[in-house]
Amino acid sequence: MRNVIIIGSGPAGFTAAIYASRANLQPLLFEGDAYAKAPEPQAGGQLMITTEVENYPGFPDGVEGPDLMEKMRAQAKRFGTECLEEVVTKVDFSKRPFRVWVGETLHEAKAIIIATGARARYLGLPSELKFYNRGVSACATCDGFAFKGKEIVVVGGGDSAMEEGNYLTKFATKLTLVHRREEFRASKIMLDRLRQNPKVAWKLNKEVLEIFGDDRVRGVRLKDTKTGAVTDYKTDGVFLAIGHEPNTKVFQGQVALDEKGYVKLEKHTHTSVEGVFASGDVSDSRYRQAVTAAGTGCAAAIDCERWLEEHP
Ligand code: NAP
């Protein structure tokens, strides 16, 4: 019987683990699959597939996402967190002890911290899966190098699209940003950076209807959202940067989720089930930053520790 099981290994999970292990709770943390390929969630979370992180405090020169995660992991282990590189396949939070399965193997705990994060969203086109890894990607860091000397389309109008776009211009000869509106969710600084990049062309008010090609991507079919006109546009690659979805499939019917599928928080980091806490992107569709995930991971561990004192 564990005091606490932490599910997830991004900034929220590891920060919760650092705090829980320093509070002597000897947490068990399920990291997920280290070899998962997008769109499936990956151990270490989204920082494993990001470029340089420039806005995590304490790193004035920036830090590579995977390096930051390795540091957090080492810090959690230093204080005694047991980490398993396993994927939780089923949970039962209907009574205490809470039950967590990895395949046939059952683990039990007095409390749970959910920190499974979110993952990149896809357009939902059949052609997207057909050309996945053959020109279609949602991870510039993973696949950008393969586009050296090629032309690329990036879809999206948020910070991810700007960040991925800028990174990809290191490799691409030309990059076209395709966005369905004229207004951007991206922050001004990130948008301006891409606007000033001479390799970048803009296709605004355009929706991707189809990705086409032969053994590889050769182009996209675009629909003008104002005029309805459909045009084909030649490209060697399509990078999707259209937002995120929470990794909550395994928790459906176990804790309350909101209309977008994120874990609902009742008070602070408490979920609808007493003794089950949530932190990071899995319960945050608003901020979704590494630093806010780490912050709520800390809060969940403190809430969990206090709750366990009252419910040993
Ligand atoms: P986001 O801000 O939600 O933006 C998603 C973009 O994709 C929007 O422009 C949206 O268009 C578009 N989109 C969504 N579904 C679409 C669809 N089916 N077809 C076409 N376009 C679609 O997501 P994000 O850029 O991934 O950013 C998420 C969070 O992470 C934000 O809080 C962001 O600030 C943060 N972030 C920060 C950094 C950084 O600071 N270094 C880097 C990356 C991300 P509409 O606008 O029309 O809805």
Side-chain angles (χ1 to χ4, degrees):
M1 168 72 75
R2 297 281 177 163
N3 292 310
V4 55
I5 285 178
I6 298 168
I7 309 173
S9 57
F14 280 134
T15 307
I18 292 164
Y19 275 77
S21 49
R22 292 188 81 251
N24 247 338
L25 292 176
Q26 295 154 321
L28 171 63
L29 182 148
F30 289 105
E31 292 190 59
D33 185 352
Y35 302 99
K37 285 263 171 278
E40 292 309 312
Q42 195 179 35
Q46 295 176 81
L47 286 188
M48 298 303 284
I49 53 170
T50 194
T51 46
E52 196 183 15
V53 181
E54 291 178 336
N55 51 10
Y56 199 88
F59 297 90
D61 301 320
V63 57
E64 291 297 319
D67 291 347
L68 180 59
M69 289 325 302
E70 195 41 54
K71 283 187 164 70
M72 288 193 197
R73 185 176 192 262
Q75 199 172 348
K77 288 184 97 163
R78 178 183 155 206
F79 296 113
T81 300
E82 188 183 338
C83 297
L84 296 179
E85 277 182 38
E86 291 176 346
V87 178
V88 169
T89 51
K90 191 174 132 188
V91 299
D92 181 357
F93 298 160
S94 60
K95 56 181 188 297
R96 289 182 86 200
F98 300 120
R99 296 191 290 168
V100 170
W101 284 267
V102 173
E104 298 295 305
T105 311
L106 170 67
H107 300 266
E108 292 184 312
K110 297 176 189 172
I112 302 283
I113 297 176
I114 298 172
T116 45
R119 65 179 185 281
R121 183 184 292 144
Y122 282 73
L123 291 165
L125 305 171
S127 52
E128 206 172 33
L129 292 181
K130 181 177 164 198
F131 290 112
Y132 189 71
N133 271 342
R134 288 189 289 156
V136 172
S137 169
C139 174
T141 343
C142 320
D143 304 322
F145 193 75
F147 291 88
K148 211 168 166 41
K150 306 233 159 116
E151 296 190 5
I152 310 181
V153 157
V154 171
V155 185
D159 281 337
S160 295
M162 304 307 133
E163 190 174 67
E164 304 254 300
N166 242 320
Y167 177 75
L168 287 166
T169 56
K170 288 185 188 178
F171 311 105
T173 48
K174 180 181 174 190
L175 184 137
T176 306
L177 197 291
V178 174
H179 179 37
R180 62 184 177 185
R181 297 192 292 148
E182 278 166 353
E183 299 78 31
F184 292 89
R185 284 179 203 265
S187 55
K188 194 175 175 308
I189 184 171
M190 310 266 282
L191 182 59
D192 286 348
R193 201 176 286 169
L194 200 67
R195 277 184 171 144
Q196 283 154 17
N197 193 320
K199 284 187 178 176
V200 178
W202 301 78
K203 285 229 170 258
L204 304 184
N205 300 318
K206 301 282 184 294
E207 198 179 304
V208 179
L209 287 185
E210 202 56 88
I211 300 165
F212 57 83
D214 34 49
D215 58 329
R216 290 196 56 79
V217 169
R218 301 292 173 201
V220 283
R221 187 151 300 141
L222 301 176
K223 182 180 167 190
D224 191 297
T225 52
K226 289 201 159 159
T227 65
V230 175
T231 48
D232 285 353
Y233 189 72
K234 193 176 129 318
T235 187
D236 304 305
V238 179
F239 280 80
L240 302 160
I242 57 166
H244 296 87
E245 285 170 8
N247 298 318
T248 48
K249 204 169 160 203
V250 78
F251 307 116
Q252 277 169 11
Q254 299 293 327
V255 290
L257 306 178
D258 70 13
E259 65 289 349
K260 289 192 267 178
Y262 287 79
V263 175
K264 240 185 185 168
L265 297 180
E266 299 293 320
K267 192 181 170 205
H268 308 305
T269 63
H270 296 252
T271 70
S272 59
V273 178
E274 257 205 78
V276 177
F277 304 83
S279 61
D281 286 14
V282 76
S283 51
D284 169 26
S285 61
R286 184 179 172 87
Y287 301 108
R288 299 176 292 186
Q289 304 294 306
V291 66
T292 50
T296 55
C298 156
I302 292 174
D303 287 343
C304 177
E305 184 197 355
R306 289 181 184 161
W307 187 84
L308 281 171
E309 271 171 23
E310 288 163 21
H311 306 83

